[in-house]
């Protein structure tokens, strides 16, 4: 969600998803997490529920702060596997980064954990690429804590900016009449390689998959 | 929709965006909007407009909101536009990408349309032009376009290959080769299949190219999962090519950041695809190889990248390391302090692979089983050691092992092949050998051998090999034994038929049914009757059989035994089993005809058995039985002799009506036997109706009616006879 916020703030169209079976938030002990259903529970209702349950606890462990931030970003958590790719998204206008996602697809998918990347790729194999639309799927391994999330958000934004720059350069090449155009996709490995030099602590995986 | 010229590009795009918003909220507008934008995307249009429109088309056809019938109809409209954009040699990449994506979505839809509308040649011509243009630019266009060409080719392969049996019917939008009718005037299934197969080869060709384009490789790998899953007939071919592909091949060149991203990406993509395939279908025949491949890739990846990435080293394992662990690590397991390494030569005689690589002289160490350690740990230890090891020592160890290997090889030629060791996978797949070894240096090979070592000691050495063992042939059966066993089998089949009696409702099998494929009672009857009638004919040359049949009855007796059993089986309950009798006699008749073709004097069975069955049935018939009529009308041939038996029935006055009905039915329904049937009726008339005094009053006028109709002279004769009759039996009325 940090990455969602950063990308949306930079005016990129963004949709965000989870890949687990349910939304799990820390509870009073490690064996008692708060579990919510994807797609049906709003961040606001989670916030209110936990606020009533134990304001002190959830403020102390940062959950309320997290939910407060998230309810400002979008209505509620969505699950990747339930996403009908290409289904228009016209009603999510209150979500940050919704402008530009009306068509219900994206060009790049960022994941923040290796197992999420695996889940996304497995899911795309499962769907079988029926839309014939190429999509770059990139994992930036971020440790799940507030500090790392901030750094990770910056790293992802940096990568997105590099992609955007390359894309614009390639699109303009046509206008200049240049024939030496390899296109954006060919430059992706190099862009990621250069980015990796700047962010050596973050492991990265990338592939070109199909929606 | 065409925007006025006065509008700036930005204003036009804004307008178009509004139109897009409209179709997103209501897909019913798609046809109107698509038709509206087609005129503005001619070749000369501004590139911004063309990009927008091409993107819009790709999005629209991919949209899950638009029903596939509607996509099919719209697909026909846009083909011309796609064709003209594709054929522009200076077309913008972004436009081309969207156009090829659109074409990939449309292709199966158009193919479906053509199947149902075989007259629409012009549309198919346009589609062919689009296809051939895409296949032509596939190799030369920009990478972004090429990946879309790969996806297009994948869609063509998918549409032009048959699916699994039986094909799953999901939403009706699925296209596969089995939907194409054999005699379609525009698209011959055989040609489509050949083209699909050729395109698949071209798609897979990328894995054998010398220069590797990572983006294309990834795009290909990620488009193959559906083909492997939904097209089982080509799955093995695809998997074999992937399993022979080494995504780490590039790792030998100096590692630049870009190269590292590329190698890691291809390795991970390959692995994800294979894991997905094994997860979806754990029973697939290649799952073992896939598992091995995945494990090997993970090991090699760790070796290559953790070695390059020094910050991830684990020096702590060195310090606490049990010296025993070093021993099993083979040639490299020596400390840097020793600058002279002695590799003791092997004693003569057979050795295990483990012994070949063991260079310590300490017997206690030799007994340590490195398989007890976790794989992670072994890998980490191995890497750490490799990082610290003096290359001179390593070379000495390698030379020592090489010397051992050579001496072993010279004493045991052919017993143990180094070349097959690391790739000890399915040997039957060896028609393609990748240049796997050239791609790796000695060190990598050694590493691999090292990590595989725990499995190796199990490989049997020479002393374990067994001699050739052939099962002795069983003693030959005597003819009597063979017949008895045959008879037992027949009895069993009849037993099965008894349990399967009373077939439930009959399903219509349609034109393509295959006899005896359902394992119900009917299937067994087919088998048993054919066994009786054709078995002897099928085993030897037809003329020989006939002679044999005449000379020695032994080979025949099995067939005759079956006939006897069938006869008994039918008679046990002939009312219910009359269909079996008919089926069997049809087979007999057919076989007689076939025999007659090959032999001038064949042994015929049909007539004999018809009579036998009929004789068996007749005594038990009831006056109201319809079974006789049915039997007579269904058996394939009737002879005068058969009708003679029917006539004989009339000796019982109560059966006259039944016999007559059956005969008259034949007169009406079987013209070929009409004459002999009429003869029989006339006979009945003369023999029984005129002489016997019997009670059934309907029979006489019925017979007279038919005879009058079919036998011209009969009316006169009956008149003459009628006068006499009137005297004795006042009620008869001539027709």
């Amino acid at each position: 969600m940090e990455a969602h916020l950063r990308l949306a703030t930079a005016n990129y169209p963004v949709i965000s998803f989870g890949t687990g079976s349910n939304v799990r938030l820390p509870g009073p002990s490690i064996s008692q997490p708060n579990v919510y259903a994807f797609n049906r529970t709003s961040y606001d209702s989670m916030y209110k529920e936990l606020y009533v349950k134990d304001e002190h606890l959830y403020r102390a462990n940062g959950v309320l702060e997290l939910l407060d931030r998230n309810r400002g970003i979008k209505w509620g958590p969505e699950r990747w596997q339930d996403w009908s790719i290409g289904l228009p998204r016209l009603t999510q206008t209150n979500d940050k980064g919704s402008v530009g996602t009306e068509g219900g697809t994206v060009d790049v998918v960022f994941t923040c954990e290796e197992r999420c990347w695996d889940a996304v790729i497995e899911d795309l194999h499962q769907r079988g690429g029926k839309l014939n639309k190429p999509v770059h799927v990139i994992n930036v391994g971020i440790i799940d804590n507030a500090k790392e999330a901030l750094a990770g958000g910056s790293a992802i934004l940096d990568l997105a900016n590099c992609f955007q720059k390359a894309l614009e350069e390639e699109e303009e090449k046509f206008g200049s009449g240049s024939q030496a155009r390899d296109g954006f996709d060919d430059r992706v490995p190099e862009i990621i390689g250069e980015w990796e030099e700047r962010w050596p602590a973050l492991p990265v995986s990338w592939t070109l998959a199909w929606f | 929709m065409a925007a006025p010229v006065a509008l700036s590009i930005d204003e036009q795009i804004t307008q178009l965006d509004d139109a897009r918003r409209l179709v997103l909220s209501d897909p019913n507008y798609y046809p109107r909007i698509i038709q509206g934008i087609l005129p503005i995307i001619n070749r000369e249009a501004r590139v911004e407009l063309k990009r927008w429109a091409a993107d819009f088309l790709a999005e629209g056809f991919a949209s899950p909101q638009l029903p596939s019938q509607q996509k099919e109809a719209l697909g026909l409209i846009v083909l011309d536009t796609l064709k003209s954009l594709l054929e522009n040699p200076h077309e913008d990449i972004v436009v081309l990408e969207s156009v090829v994506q659109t074409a990939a979505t449309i292709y199966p839809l158009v193919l479906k349309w053509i199947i149902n509308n075989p007259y629409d040649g012009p549309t198919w011509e346009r589609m062919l032009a689009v296809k051939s243009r895409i296949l032509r630019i596939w190799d030369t266009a920009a990478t972004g376009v090429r990946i879309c060409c790969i996806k297009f080719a994948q869609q063509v392969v998918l549409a032009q290959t048959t699916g699994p049996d039986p094909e799953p019917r999901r939403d009706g939008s699925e296209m596969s080769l089995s939907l194409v009718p054999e005699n379609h005037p525009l698209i011959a299934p055989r040609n489509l299949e050949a083209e699909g197969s050729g395109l698949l080869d071209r798609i897979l060709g990328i894995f054998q190219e010398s220069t590797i384009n990572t983006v294309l490789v990834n795009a290909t790998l990620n488009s193959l999962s559906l083909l492997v899953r939904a097209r089982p007939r080509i799955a093995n071919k695809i998997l074999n090519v992937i399993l022979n592909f080494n995504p780490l091949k590039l790792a030998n060149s100096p590692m630049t950041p870009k190269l590292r991203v590329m190698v890691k990406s291809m390795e991970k993509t390959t692995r994800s695809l294979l894991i997905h395939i094994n997860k979806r279908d754990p029973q697939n025949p290649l799952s073992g190889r896939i598992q091995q491949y995945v494990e090997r890739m993970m090991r090699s990846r760790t070796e290559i990248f953790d070695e390059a990435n020094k910050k991830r080293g684990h020096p702590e394992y060195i310090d606490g390391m049990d010296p025993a662990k070093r021993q099993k690590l083979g040639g490299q397991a020596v400390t840097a302090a020793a600058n002279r390494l002695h590799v003791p030569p092997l004693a003569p005689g057979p050795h295990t692979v483990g012994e070949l690589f063991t260079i310590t002289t300490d017997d206690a160490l030799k007994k340590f089983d490195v398989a007890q350690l976790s794989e992670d740990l072994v890998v980490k230890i191995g890497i750490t050691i490799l990082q610290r090891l003096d290359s001179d020592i390593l070379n000495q160890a390698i030379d020592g092992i090489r010397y051992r290997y050579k001496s072993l090889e010279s004493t045991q030629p052919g017993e143990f092949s180094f070349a097959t060791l690391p790739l000890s996978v399915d040997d039957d797949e060896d028609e393609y050998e990748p240049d796997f070894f050239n791609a790796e240096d000695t060190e990598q090979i050694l590493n691999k051998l090292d990590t595989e070592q725990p499995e190796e000691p199990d490989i049997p050495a020479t002393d374990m090999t067994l001699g050739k063992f052939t099962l002795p042939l069983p003693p030959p059966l005597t003819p009597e034994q063979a017949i008895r066993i045959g008879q037992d089998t027949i009895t069993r089949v009849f037993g099965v038929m008894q349990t399967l009696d009373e077939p439930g409702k009959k399903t219509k099998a349609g034109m393509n049914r295959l006899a005896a494929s359902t394992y119900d009672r009917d299937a067994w009857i087919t088998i048993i009757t054919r066994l009786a009638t054709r078995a002897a004919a099928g085993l030897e040359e037809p003329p020989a059989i006939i002679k044999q049949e005449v000379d020695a009855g032994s080979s025949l007796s099995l067939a005759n035994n079956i006939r006897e059993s069938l006869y008994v089986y039918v008679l046990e309950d002939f009312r219910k089993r009359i269909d079996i009798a008919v089926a069997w006699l049809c087979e007999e008749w057919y076989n007689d005809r076939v025999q007659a073709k090959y032999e001038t004097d064949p042994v015929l069975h049909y007539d004999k058995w018809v009579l036998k069955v009929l004789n068996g049935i007749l005594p038990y018939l009831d006056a109201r039985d319809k079974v006789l009529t049915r039997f007579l009308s269904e058996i394939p041939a009737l002879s005068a002799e058969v009708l003679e038996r029917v006539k004989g029935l009339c000796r019982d006055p109560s059966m006259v009506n039944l016999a007559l009905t059956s005969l008259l039915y034949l007169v009406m329904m079987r013209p070929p036997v009409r004459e002999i049937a009429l003869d029989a009726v006339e006979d009945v008339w003369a023999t029984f109706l005129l002489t016997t005094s019997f009670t059934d009053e309907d029979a006489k006028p019925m017979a007279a009616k038919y005879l009058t109709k079919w036998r011209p002279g009969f009316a006169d004769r009956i008149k003459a006879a009628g006068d006499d009759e009137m005297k004795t039996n006042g009620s008869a009325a001539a027709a």
Side-chain angles (χ1 to χ4, degrees):
Chain A
M1 287 307 287
E2 178 64 25
H4 184 143
L5 181 62
R6 297 292 291 274
L7 290 170
T9 311
N11 285 326
Y12 287 109
V14 192
I15 320 175
S16 57
F17 298 93
T19 56
S21 51
N22 290 101
V23 184
R24 284 189 178 76
L25 294 175
S29 78
I30 194 141
S31 58
Q32 298 165 274
N34 289 294
V35 181
Y36 300 97
F38 271 114
N39 311 329
R40 295 200 301 269
T41 326
S42 71
Y43 283 121
D44 189 48
S45 66
M46 294 181 208
Y47 181 91
K48 284 176 179 150
E49 187 184 309
L50 296 186
Y51 185 89
V52 175
K53 249 189 188 170
D54 191 340
E55 190 201 344
H56 181 73
L57 169 68
Y58 293 112
R59 205 169 285 290
N61 66 11
V63 171
L64 280 182
E65 192 189 357
L66 194 83
L67 288 172
D68 192 33
R69 178 199 71 183
N70 289 358
R71 66 179 176 173
I73 298 174
K74 62 186 288 188
W75 180 82
E78 295 172 76
R79 184 162 180 263
W80 171 276
Q81 289 87 342
D82 302 330
W83 177 29
S84 173
I85 302 170
L87 194 74
R89 294 171 65 92
L90 299 171
T91 53
Q92 289 87 340
T93 44
N94 287 330
D95 294 1
K96 285 207 166 118
S98 65
V99 177
T101 64
E102 295 86 353
T105 60
V106 295
D107 300 312
V108 181
V109 173
F110 290 109
T111 60
C112 301
E113 254 181 279
E114 193 77 0
R115 62 184 176 86
C116 295
W117 190 92
D118 291 342
V120 165
I121 293 300
E122 167 71 21
D123 177 68
L124 292 179
H125 279 313
Q126 191 71 30
R127 293 181 194 239
K130 297 215 170 84
L131 274 62
N132 298 309
K133 180 180 164 63
V135 57
H136 293 276
V137 185
I138 299 158
N139 178 60
V140 177
I142 299 171
I143 297 162
D144 196 6
N145 67 40
K147 184 173 161 247
E148 295 293 331
L150 276 179
S154 305
I156 288 177
L157 181 60
D158 178 21
L159 190 51
N161 285 335
C162 297
F163 283 157
Q164 184 62 27
K165 189 163 148 267
L167 201 62
E168 281 164 8
E169 282 168 10
E170 291 303 321
E171 286 192 355
E172 258 153 48
K173 271 187 193 166
F174 182 78
S176 68
S178 160
Q179 287 301 306
R181 38 182 207 187
D182 274 330
F184 163 76
D185 299 289
D186 233 7
R187 289 177 59 183
V188 169
E190 190 167 7
I191 295 169
I192 296 177
E194 286 165 1
W195 173 91
E196 225 180 354
E197 299 281 286
R198 292 197 294 280
W199 303 87
L202 299 176
V204 66
S205 299
W206 154 74
T207 194
L208 183 117
W210 295 96
F211 272 153
Chain B
M1 265 315 300
V5 187
L7 287 181
S8 73
I9 280 294
D10 284 348
E11 285 167 324
Q12 286 186 51
I13 298 274
T14 314
Q15 276 201 348
L16 288 170
D17 279 339
D18 288 341
R20 174 169 172 258
R21 202 166 256 282
L22 186 67
V23 292
L24 288 178
S25 63
D26 184 353
N28 289 325
Y29 286 104
Y30 262 116
R32 209 188 305 169
I33 306 278
I34 284 182
Q35 274 168 328
I37 61 162
L38 287 181
I40 63 167
I41 41 174
N42 52 45
R43 279 190 193 186
E44 284 71 36
R46 289 284 298 265
V47 67
E48 290 87 345
L49 283 178
K50 281 203 282 189
R51 278 178 184 167
W52 188 94
D55 190 41
F56 178 79
L57 289 182
E59 178 183 81
F61 281 102
S63 169
Q65 271 201 313
L66 198 58
S68 66
Q69 297 94 320
Q70 224 167 333
K71 284 184 192 170
E72 192 177 295
L74 288 171
L76 311 179
I77 301 172
V78 300
L79 273 178
D80 257 337
T81 309
L82 299 186
K83 179 168 168 274
S84 96
L85 289 173
L86 277 168
E87 283 172 354
N88 177 5
H90 303 291
E91 195 50 81
D92 173 57
I93 300 179
V94 183
V95 173
L96 280 182
E97 284 173 7
S98 301
V99 166
V100 180
Q101 283 173 42
T102 313
T105 316
I106 286 178
Y107 186 80
L109 301 171
V110 172
L111 200 54
K112 242 182 152 188
W113 163 266
I114 294 298
I115 289 172
N116 297 322
N117 302 277
Y119 60 85
D120 196 358
T123 295
W124 186 236
E125 286 299 317
R126 280 194 284 273
M127 189 71 247
L128 284 181
V130 167
K131 175 163 71 175
S132 67
R133 179 69 191 162
I134 291 175
L135 299 182
R136 205 167 326 127
I137 61 173
W138 182 354
D139 286 332
T140 49
T143 304
V145 181
R146 291 177 70 189
I147 57 176
C148 296
C149 293
I150 291 170
K151 195 69 175 53
F152 176 83
Q154 179 247 318
Q155 289 287 357
V156 176
V157 174
L158 186 71
Q160 297 183 184
T161 328
T162 44
D165 278 332
E167 223 159 276
R169 290 243 159 269
R170 261 166 292 181
D171 51 0
S173 64
E174 298 278 310
M175 171 65 213
S176 94
L177 186 66
S178 37
L179 299 178
V180 185
E182 202 53 54
N183 54 356
H184 196 286
L186 294 177
I187 42 177
R190 204 172 320 127
N191 296 349
L192 292 184
E193 190 174 21
E195 185 193 39
S197 168
L199 279 180
L200 177 64
D201 287 340
R202 199 169 155 193
I203 294 175
L204 296 176
I206 189 159
F207 296 112
Q208 282 138 35
E209 272 170 24
S210 48
T211 49
I212 289 184
N213 182 328
T214 311
V215 185
L216 296 183
V217 168
N218 284 343
T220 308
L221 284 168
N222 284 321
S223 68
L224 289 175
S225 50
L226 185 63
L227 288 182
V228 172
R229 230 166 50 210
R231 297 292 178 259
R233 258 161 246 184
I234 53 173
N236 266 14
K237 181 183 190 176
I238 297 173
L239 284 176
N240 275 320
V241 173
I242 298 176
L243 288 174
N244 283 320
F245 169 64
N246 178 13
L248 300 171
K249 195 153 67 173
L250 288 177
N252 274 353
S253 342
M255 243 352 157
T256 61
K258 178 184 172 185
L259 190 64
R260 195 165 62 221
V261 170
M262 284 161 58
V263 172
K264 274 165 85 173
S265 165
M266 283 192 292
E267 187 274 335
K268 188 94 206 269
T269 308
T270 316
R271 200 148 41 93
S272 300
L273 172 65
L274 292 175
I275 289 173
H276 164 78
I277 287 162
N278 257 12
K279 209 157 140 189
R280 273 286 297 226
D281 180 15
Q283 306 302 327
N284 80 68
L286 288 174
S287 70
R289 273 185 74 189
I290 292 178
Q291 190 59 35
Q292 279 184 1
Y293 180 95
V294 167
E295 282 167 14
R296 194 174 67 210
M297 275 308 133
M298 283 173 79
R299 280 201 294 271
S300 309
R301 179 193 167 102
T302 322
E303 282 160 21
I304 292 169
F305 293 106
D306 281 11
E307 202 174 336
N309 197 356
K310 288 283 197 298
K311 68 184 175 189
R312 292 196 180 176
H314 291 270
E316 66 268 30
Y317 284 107
I318 281 279
D319 304 324
M321 194 165 65
D322 183 338
K325 291 174 193 165
R326 299 179 195 180
Q327 171 267 328
K328 268 286 177 178
L329 288 166
Q332 306 97 304
V334 283
T335 54
N339 46 18
R340 208 45 236 159
L341 184 82
H342 174 63
V343 180
L346 289 175
H351 292 278
T352 64
V353 180
E355 282 166 358
L356 173 66
F357 287 93
T358 304
I359 56 174
T360 181
T361 46
D362 186 335
D363 282 335
L365 284 186
K366 280 179 183 168
K367 291 201 180 77
F368 180 78
D369 183 7
V370 78
Q372 292 167 3
L373 302 177
S374 76
E375 196 173 287
D376 284 4
L377 192 61
V378 175
V379 167
K380 278 171 186 160
I381 294 167
I383 290 157
T384 320
I385 290 171
L386 278 179
Q387 282 169 351
R388 304 211 165 185
L389 187 64
D390 181 7
S391 62
D392 193 35
I393 297 286
L394 179 62
N395 285 334
Q396 286 177 34
I398 292 171
D399 284 344
I401 301 290
R402 186 177 291 138
Y403 174 74
R404 278 180 171 187
Y405 174 66
K406 280 196 174 132
S407 62
L408 205 59
E409 200 181 33
S410 59
T411 54
Q412 302 175 330
E415 284 294 345
F416 167 68
S417 160
F418 200 100
T420 57
L421 190 58
L423 274 177
S424 55
V425 285
D426 286 359
D427 288 337
D428 50 338
E429 308 287 0
D430 58 2
E431 71 277 2
Y432 170 66
E433 280 289 342
D435 47 348
F436 202 83
F437 288 101
N438 304 341
E440 293 178 304
D441 56 25
T442 328
E443 193 170 277
Q444 281 173 309
I445 291 171
L446 270 174
N447 277 343
K448 199 175 307 131
L449 286 177
D450 247 6
T451 39
E452 284 182 1
Q453 217 172 12
E455 300 156 14
E456 303 297 358
D458 293 333
I459 292 177
T462 45
D463 52 340
M464 299 285 284
T465 39
L466 289 169
K468 217 177 194 173
F469 177 75
T470 330
L471 206 62
L473 286 172
L477 292 173
T478 64
E480 293 74 36
Q481 279 175 316
I483 289 167
R484 206 189 62 234
I485 293 167
Q487 189 57 43
D488 287 350
T489 314
I490 304 305
T491 318
R492 257 198 86 188
V493 175
F494 278 101
V496 170
M497 270 156 59
Q498 300 277 11
T499 63
L500 289 173
D501 234 333
E502 303 298 323
K505 55 178 176 206
K506 263 207 165 153
T507 48
K508 290 249 156 109
M511 287 298 281
N512 291 327
R513 66 170 172 243
L514 199 63
S517 53
T518 47
Y519 302 104
D520 55 6
R521 193 191 64 156
D522 287 356
W524 284 112
I525 288 164
T526 311
I527 290 170
I528 204 84
T529 52
R530 290 194 179 169
L531 208 56
T533 57
R534 297 187 200 177
L539 287 172
E540 279 143 327
E541 286 298 304
I545 297 164
I546 310 303
K547 281 194 194 96
Q548 214 179 356
E549 278 178 354
V550 178
D551 300 340
S554 68
S555 78
L556 246 191
S557 51
L558 179 62
N560 280 337
N561 278 341
I562 302 176
R563 291 187 171 106
E564 278 300 338
S565 309
L566 267 170
Y567 170 70
V568 173
Y569 179 74
V570 168
L571 282 196
E572 270 173 12
D573 189 358
F574 68 86
R575 288 187 181 82
K576 273 191 186 148
R577 293 178 185 164
I578 201 71
D579 56 329
I580 297 171
V582 170
W584 163 37
L585 292 170
C586 282
E587 293 285 346
E588 293 286 8
W589 178 81
Y590 172 77
N591 191 49
D592 280 357
R593 301 290 289 251
V594 174
Q595 300 278 11
K597 253 190 215 170
Y598 291 104
E599 181 73 1
T600 45
D601 187 20
V603 179
L604 299 177
H605 300 281
Y606 173 75
D607 289 330
K608 180 177 142 202
W609 287 97
V610 166
L611 287 176
K612 203 162 175 191
V613 172
L614 196 59
N615 285 340
I617 294 177
L618 289 176
Y620 301 100
L621 281 177
D622 179 84
R624 284 183 304 272
D625 259 331
K626 293 242 163 47
V627 71
L628 179 69
T629 317
R630 182 175 169 197
F631 181 74
L632 290 177
S633 58
E634 286 185 1
I635 54 174
L638 284 167
S639 61
E641 223 177 326
V642 171
L643 298 182
E644 198 61 43
R645 305 293 154 106
V646 180
K647 267 169 16 195
L649 206 56
C650 297
R651 278 192 289 267
D652 177 354
S654 67
M655 300 303 278
V656 171
N657 203 14
L658 174 68
L660 263 184
T661 319
S662 301
L663 288 171
L664 292 174
Y665 185 84
L666 293 176
V667 171
M668 280 190 297
M669 297 303 185
R670 290 187 78 162
V673 296
R674 182 173 292 149
E675 284 309 312
I676 57 167
L678 279 169
D679 286 347
V681 176
E682 209 167 338
D683 253 12
V684 170
W685 174 272
T687 327
F688 300 103
L689 297 186
L690 288 179
T691 55
T692 327
S693 59
F694 73 107
T695 48
D696 195 326
E697 291 301 322
D698 298 339
K700 221 167 166 181
M702 187 166 62
K705 179 180 149 195
Y706 278 89
L707 286 170
T708 316
K709 185 173 175 193
W710 296 106
R711 288 277 154 99
F714 185 76
D716 303 334
R717 271 182 280 152
I718 202 172
K719 223 167 219 171
D723 298 337
D724 297 346
E725 180 115 344
M726 287 300 262
K727 290 170 193 160
T728 52
N729 191 343
S731 65

